[in-house]
Amino acid sequence: MKAAVLPSLALRVGAAGVVRYGGETFDAASGGDVAAWSRRVRRDAATLLDAACRQLASDPAAYPEYDPAGDVRRRTSIAGGVVL
């Protein structure tokens, strides 16, 4: 599990853009590194959003403003980045 996380830990986002820490210096991250990092961030965000939606739907009395029928993530399917 640690090996899967290590590449993303080397990347930093800041005023200089996305950079890779190389021990003593920071170098510009490659396009492939940035793309992989972006995919991981989107995947993590989708996982957290799904968990939040499940929590909201599990206790309607605690979240009366939440309408599961209006939740776009429940009304659509996304496959390969395409909304179906």
Side-chain angles (χ1 to χ4, degrees), residues 2-41:
K2 289 180 183 180
V5 177
L6 287 176
S8 64
L9 292 177
L11 296 180
R12 298 284 184 253
V13 179
V18 181
V19 295
R20 173 176 288 284
Y21 181 63
E24 294 183 16
T25 62
F26 287 97
D27 299 317
S30 70
D33 288 340
V34 173
W37 179 77
S38 296
R39 283 191 302 272
R40 181 177 181 90
V41 168

Side-chain angles (χ1 to χ4, degrees), residues 54-75:
R54 282 193 304 275
Q55 175 65 33
L56 292 170
S58 71
D59 192 2
Y63 309 102
E65 298 87 14
Y66 177 71
D67 177 19
D71 186 352
V72 71
R73 293 185 66 82
R74 291 176 165 255
R75 292 184 288 135

